[in-house]
């Protein structure tokens, strides 16, 4: 007998039963599991507290709320059951949603700030209020609605409220400020209750970027908005709000800053001082918004793996993983320390000391003042274990340096990992351990940099939401974690900070405040990220909500073209091309006008598609025409009839191919061949920057060169994806050579060891090496198309789609290749089996587990008639390179490949003659004989 079950409903993009949702009509989704191969949903019924609605449809993602709209504070419990024909499932387990405060008028509270305390440079203030509750009647429920100018941590009767860190997070504070809804029912009691809230600088008043002024970009006063609402069992209510009845006093946090760290005084009664009054601060409550995704939390604790003394005698700790968070240190008795200092860094320098130069001006230092023997009236704190950890800062680090505490052991230190608590949805593995480590590095880089906003780096005096980074990385991000609510919220900030003319700031939230920020690939986040979210989560509302932003960005770029192409003006271009010098990351091989014009064509096409999906037919026609005109101008100005692209750099070919900018088969084939030759002549070292790197493996694969894409992936020399892995990296680096082969830190002033952007190739690993890709929004249809390569014996990708878990895997055993796929109910898949007869077409399957075993595709017979053919034979080319080096015809593999690039069409045996030039007849002749023996 078949079994079919339906999951509890999900409200919008929120997990579990969300508290404080920000809409009166939350959309609903669910997943189905079944072992019935013929099952398909034809209807669903939703039950909301006894009201049942039936809808005849196969839709199960983000379906409209069919009940009376929620009012502020209202709770609703919803169940779902689904039918396939006349066969209905059981009702799902119930899920409950509770609305937040849906209008400014629902707030009786006002922002309050200490009258005297809490100024810039003062200790972090605590705002408090004694709440007296009725006796003789029970508390049915209690909610604390709260937000702050700054970051806050609330306690009730000494117990922490919630587990959020650095709340309310970072948004475009002048336009959007998140508030949280906390269930505090169990923390309250009849009679007196103490409600206290610690305020820190956070992003609101701390240092941000390198602009002037360096801090307090949003305001110079910390402030709290809080509203405690208590409902008694007799139905009566009581509300306590932030007003002049609150008081303030200093906390033990003497200083706190995102970049610089936290200084905490653990000595008793040294900083509290007299209580201060508070003042009401005028602020617009209309900018308050409920969260769309999860908050920042502590997500893992990593133990120290090693404690040792550096060459200078300093105590160092290695946590074995580059991460984001802070050090939790236990000072065990007896200790005679009076001050403990913890400094953080991602790497050690060439002298074996903490490598702090990449931090630039960020101090990244936490300091603790400890009780002395005679402190607190003879209560000897020296004989108590003290746990030292901050709460109002974060650091990017693998290593820590501790001073002031002797005899530290690994058991005394652990790293608390923090970040937005995103639900993991994607996994990948293969037979190559270095590729697996690289993928793990991508995951850790995302975990560290998705800290309320998608930042570029987590360690130095920057940590900003660079648009270019998330533009290239968003497909990978959406595979690895559920980013729907996280990135939808960030896009709302992009819309809020976008200039009236449509220009998109370089960072979101915008703290750089450039006057005319129209940089291609960076501003294109306005069109790319919404499109990715729709593709991966089937949410048309994100396109509807962002459409004006998409259109405005496309229009402002189009308005600045000449004869259809972008000419001049500021551009980041193919940022951090590996050939660019350390002090000039702009100096890319790819022409910036070519890159910018290609980006305009892409954005116009994405805007047209968004218009089509959202029913804006006139806009769809207009932007499709703009995309066509821009492609025509791109070809007219930059592309020859044979497919050569201006500046002849790998990036310009990659984007022309990947974004379908080449109209004729001859141009596409020519561009593919030229890209392949550039990859060959680079010795399979990376030659692309931020723009080209996510595209080059796709461009090679789709033009018939997957073997070259894999050799690019598997190269371990510098620069390459795997070079950092060989250097012990545990996150993706900002530069291909953030650490040089001799172990020294790159001399550039912009060197991060935790930057996710260059890890965007992971999306290609999922789609091509493993073979799992979306073919319709939300993975309603899936493409299974693995492209095996002899260097791998197996690969697998799993992803929790909105419909359920999907996977694609293959393994090679002898001359047989087995392909396996899992398709969730509600989805279908098209399966392209490696080596299959092209005349028979792909296999179409429905939900369930599927397996096929086919012969390993035969490798085409190789004829070594040219140098190009020799390079395409990996083992022979490696042996030939070693032979040529031994005969003095080149310094290394990169040197030989670069010089051989001029002679790809000559016979292999003539290569030594060309490499030797006029002065090496004897060595060339000897090398030619040796090469003939090899071949």
């Amino acid at each position: 007998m078949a079994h079919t079950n339906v999951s509890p409903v999900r409200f919008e993009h929120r997990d579990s039963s969300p508290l404080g949702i920000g809409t009166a009509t939350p959309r609903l989704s669910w997943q189905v599991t079944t072992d019935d191969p013929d099952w398909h949903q034809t209807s669903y019924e939703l039950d909301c507290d006894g009201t049942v609605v039936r809808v005849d449809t196969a839709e199960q993602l983000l379906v409209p709320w069919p009940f009376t709209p929620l009012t502020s504070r209202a709770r609703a419990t919803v169940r779902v059951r689904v039918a396939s024909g006349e066969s209905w499932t059981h009702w799902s387990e119930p899920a409950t949603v509770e609305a937040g405060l849906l209008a400014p008028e629902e707030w009786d509270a006002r922002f309050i700030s200490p009258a005297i305390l809490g100024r810039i440079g003062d200790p972090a203030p605590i705002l408090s209020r004694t709440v007296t509750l009725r006796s003789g009647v029970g508390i049915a429920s209690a909610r604390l609605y709260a937000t702050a100018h700054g970051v806050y941590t609330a306690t009730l009767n000494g117990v922490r409220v919630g587990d959020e860190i650095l709340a309310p997070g970072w948004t475009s504070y002048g336009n959007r400020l998140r508030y949280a809804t906390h269930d505090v029912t169990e923390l309250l009691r009849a009679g007196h209750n103490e409600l206290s809230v610690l305020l820190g600088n956070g992003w609101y008043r701390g240092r941000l970027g390198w602009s002037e002024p360096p801090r307090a970009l949003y305001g110079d006063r910390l402030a709290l908005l809080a509203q405690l609402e208590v409902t008694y069992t007799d139905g009566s209510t009581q509300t306590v709000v932030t007003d002049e009845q609150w008081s303030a006093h200093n906390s033990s946090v003497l200083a706190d800053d995102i970049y610089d760290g936290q200084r905490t005084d653990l000595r008793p009664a040294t900083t509290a001082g007299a209580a201060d009054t508070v003042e009401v601060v005028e602020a617009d409550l209309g900018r308050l918004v409920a969260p769309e995704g999860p908050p920042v939390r502590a997500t893992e604790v990593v133990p120290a793996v090693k404690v040792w003394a550096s060459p200078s005698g300093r105590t160092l700790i290695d946590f074995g993983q580059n991460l984001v968070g802070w050090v939790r240190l236990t000072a065990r008795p007896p200790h005679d320390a009076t001050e403990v200092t913890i400094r953080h860094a991602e790497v050690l320098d060439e002298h074996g000391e903490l490598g702090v130069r990449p931090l630039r001006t960020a101090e990244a230092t936490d300091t603790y003042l400890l009780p002395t023997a005679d402190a607190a009236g003879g209560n000897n704190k020296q004989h108590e274990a003290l746990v030292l950890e901050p709460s109002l800062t974060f650091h990017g680090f693998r290593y820590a340096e501790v001073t002031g505490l002797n005899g530290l052991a690994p058991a005394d230190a652990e790293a608390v990992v923090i970040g937005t608590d995103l639900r993991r949805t994607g996994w990948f593995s293969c037979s190559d351990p270095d590729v697996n480590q690289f993928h793990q590095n991508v995951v850790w880089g995302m975990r560290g940099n998705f800290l309320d906003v998608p930042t570029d780096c987590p360690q130095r005096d920057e940590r900003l939401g660079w648009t270019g980074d998330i533009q290239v990385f968003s497909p990978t991000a959406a595979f690895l974690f559920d980013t729907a609510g996280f990135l939808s919220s960030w896009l709302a900030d992009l819309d809020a900070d976008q200039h009236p003319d449509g220009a998109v700031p370089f960072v979101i939230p915008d703290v750089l405040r450039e006057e005319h920020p129209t940089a291609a690939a960076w501003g294109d986040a306005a069109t790319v990220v919404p499109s990715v979210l729709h593709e991966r989560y089937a949410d048309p509302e994100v396109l509807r909500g962002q459409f004006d932003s998409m259109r405005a960005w496309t229009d402002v770029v189009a308005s600045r073209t000449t004869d259809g192409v972008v000419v001049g003006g500021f551009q980041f271009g193919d940022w951090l091309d590996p050939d660019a010098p350390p002090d000039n990351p702009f100096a890319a091989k790819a022409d910036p006008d070519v890159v910018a014009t290609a980006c305009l064509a892409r954005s116009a096409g994405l805007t047209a598609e968004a218009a089509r999906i959202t029913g804006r037919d006139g806009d769809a026609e207009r932007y499709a025409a703009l995309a066509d005109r821009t492609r025509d101008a791109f070809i007219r100005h930059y592309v020859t009839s044979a497919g050569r692209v201006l500046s002849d750099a790998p990036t310009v070919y990659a984007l022309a191919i990947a974004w379908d900018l080449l109209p004729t088969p001859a141009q596409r084939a020519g561009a593919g061949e030229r890209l392949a030759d550039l990859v060959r002549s680079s010795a399979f070292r990376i030659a692309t920057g931020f723009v080209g790197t996510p595209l080059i493996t796709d461009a090679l694969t789709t033009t018939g060169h997957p073997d070259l894409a894999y050799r690019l992936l598997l190269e371990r020399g510098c620069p390459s994806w795997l070079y950092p892995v060989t250097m012990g990296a545990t996150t993706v680096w900002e530069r291909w050579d953030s650490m040089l082969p001799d172990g020294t830190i790159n001399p550039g002033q912009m060197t991060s060891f935790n930057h996710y952007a260059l890890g965007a190739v992971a999306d290609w690993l999922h789609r091509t090496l493993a073979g799992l890709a979306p073919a319709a929004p939300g993975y309603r249809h899936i493409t299974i198309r693995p492209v095996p390569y002899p260097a791998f014996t197996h690969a697998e990708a799993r992803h929790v789609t909105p419909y359920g878990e999907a996977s694609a895997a293959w393994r090679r055993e002898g001359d047989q290749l087995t392909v396996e796929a899992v398709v969730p109910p509600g989805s279908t898949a098209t399966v392209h089996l490696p080596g299959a007869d092209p005349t028979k077409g792909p296999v179409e399957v429905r939900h369930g587990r599927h397996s096929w075993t086919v012969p390993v595709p035969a490798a085409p017979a190789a004829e070594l008639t040219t140098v190009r053919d020799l390079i395409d034979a990996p083992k022979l080319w490696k042996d030939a390179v070693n032979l040529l080096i031994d005969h003095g015809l080149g310094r290394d593999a990169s040197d030989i490949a670069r010089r051989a690039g001029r002679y790809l069409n000559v016979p292999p045996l003539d290569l030594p003659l060309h490499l030797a030039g006029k002065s090496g007849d004897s060595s060339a002749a000897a090398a030619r004989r040796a090469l003939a023996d090899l071949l």
Side-chain angles (χ1 to χ4, degrees):
M1 181 176 179
H3 297 280
T4 302
N5 295 296
V6 60
S7 71
V9 298
R10 190 177 192 225
F11 302 93
E12 291 294 329
H13 298 293
R14 301 283 298 275
D15 290 327
S16 303
S17 292
L19 193 65
I21 203 162
T23 174
T25 55
R27 296 169 298 168
L28 309 172
S29 305
W30 55 86
Q31 296 177 351
V32 175
T33 57
T34 183
D35 53 12
D36 180 357
D38 297 320
W39 188 92
H40 64 283
Q41 179 184 306
T42 56
S43 305
Y44 65 79
E45 286 186 345
L46 291 165
D47 173 8
C48 180
D49 298 319
T51 300
V52 178
V53 174
R54 172 172 172 162
V55 180
D56 295 324
T57 178
E59 297 300 325
Q60 65 184 86
L61 301 184
L62 300 168
V63 303
W65 178 261
F67 307 110
T68 302
L70 300 172
T71 57
S72 292
R73 308 172 184 81
R75 288 173 64 83
T77 299
V78 180
R79 302 183 301 165
V80 63
R81 68 173 186 159
V82 296
S84 177
E86 299 302 316
S87 177
W88 287 85
T89 66
H90 295 297
W91 286 102
S92 71
E93 291 296 316
T96 300
V97 64
E98 180 176 312
L101 304 182
L102 302 180
E105 299 76 30
E106 302 288 350
W107 289 88
D108 296 321
R110 292 296 178 263
F111 279 93
I112 59 172
S113 179
I116 299 173
L117 303 179
R119 304 307 188 193
I120 294 176
D122 288 350
I126 293 177
L127 278 60
S128 57
R129 166 79 186 269
T130 298
V131 178
T132 303
L133 300 184
R134 292 169 52 194
S135 300
V137 60
I139 299 172
S141 67
R143 300 289 182 265
L144 177 65
Y145 305 95
T147 189
H149 291 166
V151 294
Y152 75 91
T153 302
T155 59
L156 254 173
N157 297 318
V159 179
R160 178 169 175 164
V161 174
D163 57 1
E164 296 90 340
I165 293 171
L166 300 174
W170 189 14
T171 51
S172 175
Y173 291 133
N175 301 287
R176 301 175 66 251
L177 176 63
R178 286 195 215 101
Y179 70 91
T181 303
H182 301 281
D183 183 352
V184 294
T185 308
E186 299 301 318
L187 302 183
L188 291 172
R189 60 194 178 219
H192 297 316
N193 297 264
E194 294 299 323
L195 175 56
S196 298
V197 182
L198 170 68
L199 295 181
N201 293 310
W203 298 275
Y204 187 88
R205 201 177 71 173
R207 284 212 292 149
L208 282 177
W210 46 87
S211 303
E212 290 294 335
R215 63 172 68 250
L217 295 181
Y218 296 100
D220 60 4
R221 293 191 71 174
L222 302 180
L224 170 69
L225 181 75
Q227 185 158 310
L228 175 65
E229 298 185 356
V230 181
T231 302
Y232 294 100
T233 53
D234 64 1
S236 61
T237 62
Q238 180 178 350
T239 301
V240 177
V241 301
T242 42
D243 55 20
E244 292 92 339
Q245 298 182 52
W246 287 59
S247 63
H249 63 272
N250 285 332
S251 73
S252 62
V253 178
L254 303 182
D256 66 278
D257 187 80
I258 294 292
Y259 293 170
D260 295 331
Q262 182 171 319
R263 182 170 176 82
T264 308
D265 190 347
L266 298 177
R267 299 171 298 179
T270 57
T271 59
D276 186 16
T277 58
V278 300
E279 299 173 342
V280 170
V281 177
E282 292 302 320
D284 178 14
L285 301 185
R287 64 203 166 99
L288 297 177
V289 295
E292 296 179 46
V296 175
R297 293 189 176 103
T299 59
E300 187 174 347
V301 176
V302 175
V305 297
K306 181 183 178 183
V307 176
W308 77 104
S310 74
S312 68
R314 297 178 180 270
T315 299
L316 298 180
I317 308 172
D318 180 6
F319 292 96
Q321 172 65 53
N322 197 17
L323 53 85
V324 175
W326 57 68
V327 173
R328 178 187 290 154
L329 205 62
T330 300
R332 302 189 184 278
H335 56 77
D336 57 2
T338 58
E339 182 170 340
V340 174
T341 299
I342 306 173
R343 302 168 68 212
H344 306 76
E346 296 182 303
V347 294
L348 302 178
D349 65 20
E350 61 271 27
H351 306 296
E353 303 291 344
L354 202 67
V356 296
R357 181 173 60 79
L359 303 179
R360 299 191 301 214
T361 68
E363 294 181 10
T365 300
D366 296 331
T367 306
Y368 304 90
L369 302 177
L370 305 189
T372 57
D374 56 353
N379 181 12
N380 193 343
K381 299 289 184 178
Q382 287 181 312
H383 297 285
E384 295 180 7
L386 293 177
V387 176
L388 313 179
E389 65 177 321
S391 62
L392 302 177
T393 188
F394 65 89
H395 312 288
F397 66 100
R398 172 176 171 170
Y399 300 94
E401 175 194 286
V402 178
T403 58
L405 198 62
N406 297 322
L408 194 67
D412 300 331
E414 54 191 11
V416 178
V417 179
I418 72 167
T420 298
D421 193 12
L422 302 171
R423 176 170 55 93
R424 183 77 185 267
T425 56
W427 297 265
F428 167 86
S429 65
C430 69
S431 57
D432 189 299
D434 284 351
V435 175
N436 288 338
Q437 181 62 55
F438 169 74
H439 191 270
Q440 185 73 351
N441 293 359
V442 174
V443 172
W444 272 98
M446 178 178 171
R447 288 179 64 183
N449 281 295
F450 275 51
L451 200 158
D452 210 67
V453 301
T455 60
D456 59 328
C457 62
Q459 75 298 94
R460 68 184 179 222
D461 54 354
E462 194 165 351
R463 315 185 198 189
L464 305 178
W466 284 92
T467 49
D469 299 54
I470 191 58
Q471 184 269 129
V472 300
F473 191 74
S474 53
T476 297
F479 180 91
L480 295 174
F481 291 88
D482 180 358
T483 59
F486 175 91
L487 287 177
S488 294
S489 177
W490 182 81
L491 283 170
D493 289 319
L494 185 152
D495 184 30
D497 282 347
Q498 194 166 2
H499 290 206
D501 67 354
V504 174
F506 302 147
V507 300
I508 301 293
D510 182 19
V511 296
L512 300 183
R513 301 176 182 177
E514 298 283 344
E515 190 172 353
H516 300 294
T518 49
W522 273 248
D524 291 292
T527 60
V528 173
V529 177
S531 301
V532 169
L533 293 185
H534 177 258
E535 175 192 55
R536 301 303 172 100
Y537 301 108
D539 185 355
E541 289 305 312
V542 72
L543 296 179
R544 192 168 284 111
Q546 294 297 131
F547 184 77
D548 287 344
S549 169
M550 299 174 73
R551 174 170 55 189
W553 166 251
T554 303
D555 285 349
V556 73
V557 178
S559 72
R560 300 179 183 183
T561 57
T562 300
D563 193 26
V565 298
V566 178
V567 178
F570 174 83
Q571 297 291 346
F572 289 105
D574 196 26
W575 183 253
L576 284 173
D577 181 317
D579 290 336
D583 59 350
N584 186 11
F586 296 91
K589 297 182 290 295
D591 186 289
D593 291 349
V594 177
V595 172
T597 303
C599 287
L600 172 58
R602 185 192 189 201
S603 275
L606 293 175
T607 304
E609 180 65 7
R612 184 192 66 78
I613 292 167
T614 57
R616 301 169 182 258
D617 294 341
D619 286 325
E621 293 180 5
R622 174 188 165 199
Y623 288 103
L626 174 61
D628 289 342
R629 291 196 306 273
T630 305
R631 279 190 290 266
D632 290 344
F634 182 90
I635 297 301
R636 188 169 64 252
H637 283 266
Y638 304 138
V639 185
T640 71
S641 60
R644 284 291 186 104
V645 182
L646 185 70
S647 66
D648 197 36
T651 288
V652 298
Y653 291 105
L655 56 82
I657 293 165
W659 295 344
D660 292 324
L661 303 181
L662 305 173
T664 70
Q667 286 173 313
R668 184 175 178 84
E673 290 301 327
R674 180 55 184 161
L675 175 60
D677 282 347
L678 290 173
V679 170
R680 292 180 180 105
S681 61
S682 70
F684 302 96
R685 309 289 175 92
I686 290 289
T688 50
F690 267 39
V691 178
T693 295
L695 306 174
I696 189 167
T697 48
D698 272 309
L700 289 167
T701 302
T702 59
T703 54
H705 305 286
D707 52 332
L708 302 187
Y710 282 120
R711 290 177 69 182
L712 195 65
L713 170 71
L714 293 172
E715 175 58 41
R716 286 161 171 82
C718 182
S720 68
W721 282 294
L722 297 187
Y723 164 71
V725 174
T726 69
M727 297 292 289
T730 60
T731 44
V732 176
W733 295 349
E734 178 177 25
R735 296 178 181 268
W736 298 108
D737 59 350
S738 286
M739 180 169 285
L740 305 182
D742 63 3
T744 59
I745 298 170
N746 187 291
Q749 291 302 305
M750 188 186 69
T751 300
S752 161
F753 293 87
N754 194 348
H755 247 71
Y756 57 69
L758 297 179
V761 72
D763 188 57
W764 177 80
L765 294 178
H766 308 146
R767 292 181 289 102
T768 302
L769 177 52
L772 179 65
Y779 291 81
R780 186 161 194 165
H781 191 65
I782 299 169
T783 296
I784 308 290
R785 191 198 295 261
V787 182
Y789 182 66
F792 298 93
T793 58
H794 63 83
E796 176 185 12
R798 293 188 295 121
H799 179 60
V800 181
T801 78
Y803 291 94
E805 185 171 304
S807 66
W810 62 268
R811 65 181 182 274
R812 187 178 70 246
E813 296 176 338
D815 60 356
Q816 297 293 300
L817 187 76
T818 299
V819 176
E820 297 176 330
V822 173
V823 180
S827 296
T828 55
T830 299
V831 182
H832 301 260
L833 296 173
D837 184 348
T839 64
K840 295 183 178 180
V843 180
E844 304 291 337
V845 297
R846 298 186 62 217
H847 61 266
R849 295 182 175 274
H850 309 276
S851 180
W852 303 266
T853 299
V854 297
V856 172
E863 295 185 11
L864 299 179
T865 59
T866 66
V867 170
R868 181 182 291 106
D869 298 330
L870 177 57
I871 294 175
D872 287 352
K875 186 178 185 307
L876 275 177
W877 176 241
K878 180 179 179 181
D879 292 341
V881 166
N882 290 333
L883 182 155
L884 295 168
I885 293 172
D886 290 343
H887 284 79
L889 298 182
R891 296 188 307 275
D892 52 32
S894 183
D895 176 53
I896 288 175
R898 177 182 57 80
R899 293 161 59 208
R902 302 292 300 171
Y903 308 105
L904 295 177
N905 293 315
V906 306
L909 294 182
D910 289 348
L911 181 59
L913 303 177
H914 292 290
L915 294 180
K918 298 179 180 179
S919 59
D921 292 343
S922 60
S923 60
R928 194 175 195 273
R929 290 192 296 272
L931 187 59
D933 292 339
L934 174 66
L935 301 182

